[in-house]
Amino acid sequence: MERSNQRDQNRDKGQKKLTSALFVIYIIVLSWIILFKMQFSISNMPQLRSLNLIPFAGSVIINGKMDFDEIFNNVLIFIPFGLYMGMLKGNWPFWKKIIPVILTSFALELIQFIFAIGASDITDLIGNSLGGVIGCLIFMGFYKLLKDKTNKVLNILASIGTIGIIALLGLLIIVNL
C-alpha cells in the first residue's frame, strides 16, 4: 500500500512539473503576442502609446461599430491562464485564482503603455480577466467530471496545443526568413 502511495505522489509531482513547464511556455507566448505583436524584429513594432479608461469605447470602436473580434480574442487568449491557475493552485479559493490573471493582464497593459508598444485599454483588462474566469470555470467543470485525473487530461490537451503552437511559430519563422 505504501509503495502505491509513493507512486501516486511521484506521478502527481510529475504532473505538477509538466503543468508548470507548459504554463511557462504559455506565458512566453502570451507575452510575445501581447507585447511584441507577434513580431520577430523590434524595429517592426508599432510605436504607439495610448490609454483608454472607458470600457468598451475607443480602441474597440472601428468605423462606428464595436469590434467584437478584439474582445473575443482577449477573452480567448486568457482562458488557458485560468485553466493553469486551476491546475497549479487547486487548493486556492476561486477568487484567489483570478488575482494573478488580473495582475498579469494589468502588468502587460502597463508595459505596453510605458514602452509605447501598444494601446493600453481597460476593455482589454476586462476581456482578459473574463477569459481567466472562464478558464477557472472550465477547470472546475473538468474536475467535477474527472476528479483526480483532471490535471493529467488537461496536461495532455495542453501539450498537444503547445506542440501545435510551437509548430506554427516555427513555420512563421521559416516563412519570414
Side-chain angles (χ1 to χ4, degrees):
M1 191 64 128
E2 189 175 310
R3 193 176 246 175
S4 176
N5 245 358
Q6 186 65 31
R7 252 193 323 243
D8 289 346
Q9 287 177 344
N10 287 341
R11 197 175 311 124
D12 289 346
K13 284 181 184 178
Q15 287 296 324
K16 199 71 124 179
K17 285 180 182 179
L18 177 58
T19 303
S20 296
L22 291 167
F23 181 61
V24 167
I25 294 168
Y26 165 75
I27 291 295
I28 291 168
V29 171
L30 179 72
S31 299
W32 179 63
I33 290 170
I34 292 178
L35 296 177
F36 300 104
K37 315 296 185 246
M38 298 190 292
Q39 297 295 318
F40 294 104
S41 169
I42 293 177
S43 63
N44 293 337
M45 290 183 50
Q47 294 297 308
L48 169 67
R49 178 180 288 137
S50 72
L51 179 64
N52 176 32
L53 298 175
I54 302 169
F56 307 102
S59 66
V60 294
I61 305 294
I62 297 176
N63 296 327
K65 294 183 180 177
M66 181 81 71
D67 182 15
F68 288 104
D69 285 346
E70 181 182 344
I71 297 169
F72 177 75
N73 289 337
N74 284 332
V75 170
L76 193 63
I77 199 166
F78 267 77
I79 289 174
F81 204 126
L83 283 165
Y84 283 121
M85 285 296 98
M87 293 168 72
L88 293 168
K89 302 297 180 184
N91 57 338
W92 283 10
F94 182 80
W95 65 269
K96 207 171 184 182
K97 293 174 189 170
I98 303 305
I99 291 173
V101 175
I102 295 168
L103 291 176
T104 301
S105 177
F106 180 76
L108 291 170
E109 294 298 318
L110 186 63
I111 290 168
Q112 285 183 94
F113 183 78
I114 290 170
F115 293 105
I117 54 175
S120 299
D121 196 326
I122 191 72
T123 305
D124 293 349
L125 182 64
I126 293 168
N128 298 344
S129 301
L130 178 60
V133 167
I134 292 169
C136 283
L137 292 172
I138 290 171
F139 175 82
M140 289 169 58
F142 268 91
Y143 191 79
K144 282 190 187 281
L145 291 172
L146 303 173
K147 304 287 185 235
D148 293 335
K149 294 184 191 290
T150 303
N151 281 14
K152 182 177 183 177
V153 170
L154 290 176
N155 273 336
I156 291 168
L157 294 173
S159 295
I160 293 167
T162 301
I163 290 167
I165 292 292
I166 290 171
L168 280 172
L169 292 177
L171 184 63
L172 277 172
I173 291 170
I174 290 169
V175 169
N176 285 304
L177 288 179

